[in-house]
Amino acid sequence: MIAVLVAVGVVCTLVLCALWQIHRTLDRTPPNVGAFAHSAATRTADVATARTSSARLTNLTSALPWAVPPGTSVADSCQTEDQNPFIGPARWAPINCARSSVLYLAFDGDIRTHLHQLDAVLAEQKWVGSGPSPKTLTGMATWMSQAGGDPSPAVSQQGSTEPPGSQPICLSATYGPATQKHGIAHGGLGVRLRVSVAELPCTPRADTGDIQIGGTLKKSAADGTVYLAWHPLSTFTVSRSAYTAHRYVAAFSLVDSYAVQSTPTTSPPPPPTR
């Protein structure tokens, strides 16, 4: 019986090795992302997006005079991905270019008042909540309180609609422009805004467009990624620095997908061997 199991194991290993060798011999080179990223049409769209994103974040900063801006990060890149990463020829997704800008704001004061003010500013600037979760920061705070965000019996008995009091604030809500009827499909065109509000020990959630592990910042190392701009800030480092002088930190992550290749690309078959 043992001999049979050993034989089966050897056969399976040989088959896997053969499949892996076949996999390695296939052409899995990604399409020329750089050519698409630096084309005239993409560059024109990129410049317009940079201008629009900057104006949107400037408008938010101006409308919140009680908040201090510790900084803004930018990651602008074009990339693709292999939708068939295992056995067989590569199937590359359409190249997508997106600009991710994160505005950080630090503030103090009554959190209930500021959440209402944030909701009012977002509504005034035509940002509409998306997804199944509560559509406003105040609504998210209320939901967290009712769902157990604040374990205080008094709060539960009163059915309080105020943000959690005994637990740290750690909220995140996603928005889209009122003129954008649907959310961004994976790899599609569109704009989204994530607003995250936090206090110690929480780190606000941010869509930075790069890789952040602790305080370490890295560009995406995935095949087929080309960065057109990269001015990084560590969300963890920024928030911890802001917490030394302020109680709350908000991260406004604006992601604008501005260019998409019209059709996906499949790696061509390898040339015939002679």
Side-chain angles (χ1 to χ4, degrees), residues 51-78:
R51 187 184 306 114
T52 302
S53 296
S54 178
R56 282 172 163 155
L57 295 182
T58 297
N59 290 340
L60 284 170
T61 305
S62 300
L64 304 170
W66 37 266
V68 178
T72 302
S73 68
V74 173
D76 190 335
S77 66
C78 298

Side-chain angles (χ1 to χ4, degrees), residues 18-139:
L19 290 174
W20 179 245
Q21 289 301 319
I22 294 173
H23 171 75
R24 288 175 61 85
T25 61
L26 295 172
D27 183 1
R28 304 186 66 82
T29 304
N32 193 339
V33 178
F36 182 80
H38 295 292
S39 67
T42 300
R43 296 299 293 172
T44 298
D46 189 20
V47 170
T49 297
R51 187 184 306 114
T52 302
S53 296
S54 178
R56 282 172 163 155
L57 295 182
T58 297
N59 290 340
L60 284 170
T61 305
S62 300
L64 304 170
W66 37 266
V68 178
T72 302
S73 68
V74 173
D76 190 335
S77 66
C78 298
Q79 61 183 335
T80 182
E81 61 180 342
D82 184 2
Q83 297 175 322
N84 184 33
F86 301 108
I87 301 299
R91 186 172 67 252
W92 297 99
I95 299 170
N96 174 274
C97 300
R99 185 178 184 89
S100 301
S101 306
V102 184
L103 165 68
Y104 298 97
L105 295 177
F107 58 95
D108 298 288
D110 181 68
I111 187 61
R112 294 168 296 182
T113 300
H114 287 324
L115 289 178
H116 283 294
Q117 290 171 330
L118 281 168
D119 286 337
V121 167
L122 292 168
E124 182 181 355
Q125 297 187 7
K126 309 302 182 184
W127 290 105
V128 179
S130 59
S133 60
K135 306 295 186 182
T136 65
L137 294 169
T138 304

Side-chain angles (χ1 to χ4, degrees), residues 142-164:
T142 299
W143 176 81
M144 288 182 63
S145 177
Q146 294 174 342
D150 187 342
S152 167
V155 172
S156 299
Q157 292 171 4
Q158 295 169 6
S160 173
T161 58
E162 301 299 345

